[in-house]
Amino acid sequence: MPNFSPLKNTLIWLVVLAGFAFALPNIVPREQLAGWPAWLPHRQVPLGLDLKGGSDIVLKVDRDSIVADRLQATIQAIAQALRGSEIGYTGLSGSGQEIQFRLRDTSQLAAAREALNTLTAPVEAPDRAGNPIRELVVDETTAQEPVRLRLTNEGIDFRLSAALAQSIEAVRRRVGEVVAAEPVIQRRGSDRLSIQIPGLEDPQRLKDLLSQRGSVAFRWLDPSIPAQQALDTRPPAASEVLYSLDDPPVPYLVERQAFASAEDFDDAQPGTDPQTGEPVVDIKLTAEASTRLATLSQAASNRQFAIVLDGQVVSTPALGDVIEGDMVRLSGDLSEEGAENFAALLRAGPLPASLTVIEERTVGPEVGTDAIANGLTAGLVAAAAVAACMIGFYGFFGLVAVVAVIVNVVLIIAVISLLGITLTLPGIAGIVLTIGVAVDSNVLIYERLREEVRNSSEPLRKALDNGFSRVLRSIIDANLTMLIAGVILFLLGTGAISGFATTLAIGSVTTILTAHSLTRRLIRGWYRRRRPKHLPRGIRTGFFAEADIRFMALRNPVFILMASLSLASLVLLVSLGLNMGADFKGGSLLELRSKQGTADVADVRARLDELNLGEVQIQGLGSARDILLRIPSQEAGDNADQTAMGLVRAELEGDYSFRRVEVVGPAVSGELTRAGTLAVAAAILAIILYVWLRFDWKFAAGAVITTLHDVLLTVGFLVLTGIEFNLASLAALLTIVCYSLNDTMVIYDRVRENLARYRRMPLSVLIDASINQTLSRTILTATTTALALVALYLFGGSRLVQSFSATLLFGVVIGTVSSIYIAGPVLILFNRRNNRLGGELGGRGTTPGTATGAA
């Protein structure tokens, strides 16, 4: 074995040591971590809400409300500017983003435009290109009457972004009114906020608070004409008709100008009227507002005013009846909960724009605890099964592989801890999958070492050196495909895809380090201590060493069968379609547990049928106490799905606990479909491009056809089994692509090497020889990966993980078969004339004696 650079040795062992140091805090209770020295690592892996319980709510800023606010404010600003310049006008109105008015004297057109210069001038805030933004522009196409102006899209986008930034603190205050836990609030895109609240089991009250803008104002009633007459004719210019919260709503004619609003309120608390016992809200006024309202009360104590909340009239008391010093007592048929929510809105302050809940994912703490326990159980079972398999096949070398895999997992945990990456349930699935797939690198090494020793007359030291050197490229190829997939999925995917992609990408990097560099140094240490002349006797994979199975002799019937199955899968997909989950078609998914006794499916169905929510699907889940509800999208916007969710909670929460809730609005489902499809397509294209550059175009084309076959058969499997197709299924499909390409590249790599060695051998014979030479690796890798996936399916617990692992397990079997009976025949199909690869070696810059071995 070679003498390694002391610097490289030091770096590798420092990385391993650092990995254990940064991973160690995760097995130490938080109380003990507080007593550790400051120079030691303290960070633990942050757990996602699906592992510790809580709610993840996505809010969208209502662009229409931004436009409406800007339209109204701009109309008022235009009126003020024209009056200030003593320019007469008429018909000032607006619709959408358009505003128009007429001048009483058309000769004042130039003066009017000059008066509006301050409104049409660029704002100071630059856009992304560093250019000023014009919020209002004059329509230059009309030189005469009427004068038309337009709110620009750039200006609306600027106001939307500003409103989103201002909403963060307001949302934080409202969350604080519901739960003491500190929320994680992040901007998502240009118009959304993501709120994660750990420990929140029932987010209904919070959603009610967040869905209200909370704009409260005191506005005089206009007694000049009755409200109905104003509706039938036209209200006065300074007034408008608003409706009450009653059922049916009552119209009121209310002055537009408020005499008190949110900035005048210092505090608000729910209370009870001592005379009537009814719930009320006591508002403390600021000093300035208290003085002003006291003066108003003396002048017009009997005058009625409207308490307006988000454009609706809450009540219409007389001013003198509600003011007591610096306090205002509000009543008006408020329930106890309504008074609490009203007070909370006043304390938190209004939102700068209306927010809509477009996505909700809530997990109860029991579910999170179960998910952690199930994930650990699945991981331990998978690790034990893989370890037993490796030790059984490779003896001492298998033990070395187990050590390398353990270090691999430790490094993954260390990186996640160090970077503060949130670990989710799909992330655990990625780690468990890494346990199975990472073993493949060790299998590649050991099979290559065994082959080098068997076929070489050189000393064991030299054979070991050659084996490690020649297998490095194959290890890099296999893990780079995983890394490419993980990075692209992380950048373009969301939710379950991102969680899975994170551990997949990290695991692909750590596998290269542990499987090759660490394993090589461990085996070097064994060689230096023992100075053996032969490999350990415990290696038991040589029973395929002399195999001469004629795979290509059956290529035509098997290829036709596999192609027929692919075509059948395509027909099934078109005719029956996939069982799309809420991620892609919108709607709600609820996991319920009966509080007493078994769940009564018939009773639940009857109660939900009365709510008219469409075709609700109900099925058992796990124990007899658990049921799973699927409520279709209500097709009336995102608010309709939230309304349906509220109805279901009100109907069932007395008898059932809501263990998991997922509500995906139609806007989000459409975006998830586009983003998920884009992520998978981009990842596949990137992987194929890598294969194209790494091999010849014929190999790349063969890999593409093989991959397409595997994807089609997996999709057919999903259609036949009815497994829900969700974001996790997309991640599973991409993993199958990576696995299939990995298998195909191993065989193609050996084909390319044999092309350099045996230039006159017929291609079909050469492919058979290449498959036989890599057969031990193919079978053992499929076995270890399948063991990990079976453990994940049996002990993963979550339906998400079970469907994910079942899909992957099918894909592993199909990918293993296709790497032989699709990848090989395609190469022959492309070279029917001379049964060769056109004299090519199939690789770029490959020469005999330097080709990279794959087995």
Side-chain angles (χ1 to χ4, degrees), residues 368-381:
T369 303
D370 292 345
I372 295 175
N374 292 332
L376 290 175
T377 301
L380 291 175
V381 171

Side-chain angles (χ1 to χ4, degrees), residues 305-379:
F305 71 99
I307 303 169
V308 180
L309 171 63
D310 294 341
Q312 291 185 290
V313 178
V314 177
S315 63
T316 57
L319 185 61
D321 294 340
V322 298
I323 292 183
E324 299 178 5
D326 64 347
M327 300 292 293
V328 176
R329 171 162 289 177
L330 303 182
S331 60
D333 296 330
L334 293 173
S335 64
E336 185 174 337
E337 182 180 357
E340 291 178 355
N341 289 344
F342 197 5
L345 288 174
L346 290 170
R347 288 194 300 269
L351 294 168
S354 299
L355 300 176
T356 302
V357 178
I358 60 173
E359 185 177 2
E360 173 200 348
R361 300 181 191 272
T362 300
V363 178
E366 292 182 1
V367 177
T369 303
D370 292 345
I372 295 175
N374 292 332
L376 290 175
T377 301

Side-chain angles (χ1 to χ4, degrees), residues 12 28 69 93 111 142 148 161 178 236 306 452 511 611 617 621 688 722 732 762 779:
I12 289 173
V28 178
D69 288 348
S93 61
T142 56
R148 291 189 174 89
S161 179
V178 176
E452 289 290 332
T511 297
L611 301 179
Q617 299 179 22
L621 182 68
I688 290 173
I779 293 177

Side-chain angles (χ1 to χ4, degrees), residues 39 53 65 78 155 162 343 406 426 544 550 563 602 611 696 721 750 764 793:
W39 54 270
S65 72
I78 291 173
I406 292 174
F544 289 116
R550 299 297 302 275
L611 301 179
D696 183 74
T721 58
R750 181 52 64 93
S764 60
Y793 179 84

Side-chain angles (χ1 to χ4, degrees), residues 403-571:
V403 172
V405 171
I406 292 174
V407 174
N408 192 0
V409 174
V410 169
L411 290 179
I412 294 174
I413 299 298
V415 172
I416 293 175
S417 301
L418 181 62
L419 299 180
I421 298 171
T422 301
L423 181 64
T424 61
L425 190 59
I428 291 180
I431 293 176
V432 175
L433 180 62
T434 300
I435 293 175
V437 176
V439 172
D440 177 55
S441 297
N442 289 92
V443 174
L444 282 171
I445 292 171
Y446 296 158
E447 289 301 307
R448 188 67 193 203
L449 294 181
R450 182 182 57 77
E451 187 174 346
E452 289 290 332
V453 171
R454 180 171 60 88
N455 296 333
S456 175
S457 60
E458 295 179 328
L460 179 61
R461 178 188 61 80
K462 184 64 175 177
L464 294 175
D465 183 29
N466 290 339
F468 274 105
S469 298
R470 292 175 177 175
V471 80
L472 178 60
R473 181 67 67 86
S474 295
I475 294 176
I476 293 176
D477 282 340
N479 286 281
L480 267 183
T481 55
M482 292 289 189
L483 178 61
I484 292 171
V487 170
I488 293 181
L489 278 179
F490 179 79
L491 293 176
L492 301 180
T494 59
I497 286 184
S498 295
F500 172 74
T502 300
T503 52
L504 183 70
I506 295 173
S508 64
V509 176
T510 56
T511 297
I512 295 176
L513 173 67
T514 57
H516 187 270
S517 299
L518 181 61
T519 300
R520 189 173 191 180
R521 278 153 181 81
L522 292 174
I523 291 180
R524 183 192 65 170
W526 164 77
Y527 180 83
R528 284 187 168 181
R529 285 193 307 271
R530 300 291 184 89
R531 297 289 178 177
K533 295 183 179 181
H534 305 284
L535 289 177
R537 293 183 178 179
I539 297 179
R540 299 182 177 86
T541 59
F543 39 80
F544 289 116
E546 304 297 333
D548 187 23
I549 304 174
R550 299 297 302 275
F551 292 101
M552 293 302 98
L554 298 175
R555 67 177 183 273
N556 289 333
V558 176
F559 186 86
I560 292 173
L561 174 63
M562 302 293 275
S564 300
L565 291 176
S566 297
L567 182 60
S569 297
L570 185 60
V571 172

Side-chain angles (χ1 to χ4, degrees), residues 624-672:
R625 296 177 57 194
D626 299 329
I627 55 175
L628 186 69
L629 307 183
R630 287 186 174 89
I631 301 174
S633 179
Q634 299 305 295
E635 299 181 357
D638 298 296
N639 284 325
D641 286 322
Q642 288 297 325
T643 300
M645 186 67 251
L647 293 174
V648 174
R649 276 190 179 275
E651 180 66 33
L652 300 178
E653 64 184 354
D655 301 320
Y656 294 87
S657 59
F658 286 65
R659 290 166 54 83
R660 181 187 294 272
V661 175
E662 296 180 11
V663 183
V664 181
V668 173
S669 63
E671 291 171 4
L672 288 177

Side-chain angles (χ1 to χ4, degrees), residues 533-813:
K533 295 183 179 181
H534 305 284
L535 289 177
R537 293 183 178 179
I539 297 179
R540 299 182 177 86
T541 59
F543 39 80
F544 289 116
E546 304 297 333
D548 187 23
I549 304 174
R550 299 297 302 275
F551 292 101
M552 293 302 98
L554 298 175
R555 67 177 183 273
N556 289 333
V558 176
F559 186 86
I560 292 173
L561 174 63
M562 302 293 275
S564 300
L565 291 176
S566 297
L567 182 60
S569 297
L570 185 60
V571 172
L572 284 174
L573 176 63
V574 174
S575 59
L576 299 180
L578 291 164
N579 177 25
M580 293 291 187
D583 289 330
F584 296 125
K585 67 178 181 180
S588 304
L589 192 68
L590 298 87
E591 184 179 325
L592 309 182
R593 171 165 289 179
S594 174
K595 294 180 178 179
Q596 294 181 348
T598 60
D600 190 338
V601 174
D603 175 67
V604 171
R605 187 181 302 279
R607 293 164 68 176
L608 293 183
D609 284 345
E610 296 179 359
L611 301 179
N612 296 320
L613 301 178
E615 187 178 350
V616 178
Q617 299 179 22
I618 307 176
Q619 65 184 70
L621 182 68
S623 69
R625 296 177 57 194
D626 299 329
I627 55 175
L628 186 69
L629 307 183
R630 287 186 174 89
I631 301 174
S633 179
Q634 299 305 295
E635 299 181 357
D638 298 296
N639 284 325
D641 286 322
Q642 288 297 325
T643 300
M645 186 67 251
L647 293 174
V648 174
R649 276 190 179 275
E651 180 66 33
L652 300 178
E653 64 184 354
D655 301 320
Y656 294 87
S657 59
F658 286 65
R659 290 166 54 83
R660 181 187 294 272
V661 175
E662 296 180 11
V663 183
V664 181
V668 173
S669 63
E671 291 171 4
L672 288 177
T673 301
R674 289 189 295 272
T677 304
L678 177 62
V680 172
I684 291 175
L685 288 175
I687 293 171
I688 290 173
L689 178 62
Y690 175 79
V691 177
W692 194 301
L693 296 175
R694 177 74 174 84
F695 296 87
D696 183 74
W697 73 267
K698 295 176 181 177
F699 289 90
V704 171
I705 294 173
T706 305
T707 302
L708 182 61
H709 161 269
D710 295 346
V711 170
L712 282 176
L713 279 189
T714 304
V715 169
F717 168 77
L718 292 173
V719 173
L720 282 177
T721 58
I723 293 177
E724 182 180 291
F725 189 77
N726 47 35
L727 290 175
S729 303
L730 271 180
L733 276 179
L734 184 62
T735 307
I736 291 169
V737 169
C738 296
Y739 185 91
S740 175
L741 281 172
N742 184 13
D743 257 7
T744 302
M745 281 193 298
V746 167
I747 294 177
Y748 277 179
D749 213 358
R750 181 52 64 93
V751 169
R752 187 177 64 172
E753 180 180 351
N754 286 335
L755 281 169
R757 290 179 176 177
Y758 313 112
R759 295 179 177 272
R760 297 183 178 277
M761 182 180 291
L763 185 57
S764 60
V765 178
L766 187 143
I767 291 176
D768 275 339
S770 301
I771 295 173
N772 282 289
Q773 290 165 5
T774 58
L775 193 57
S776 295
R777 173 262 161 202
T778 300
I779 293 177
L780 189 53
T781 297
T783 301
T784 54
T785 306
L787 287 174
L789 292 173
V790 168
L792 197 60
Y793 179 84
L794 295 177
F795 303 102
S798 167
R799 62 174 183 82
L800 187 71
V801 173
Q802 286 185 334
S803 60
F804 175 84
S805 53
T807 305
L808 269 183
L809 188 59
F810 178 84
V812 166
V813 176

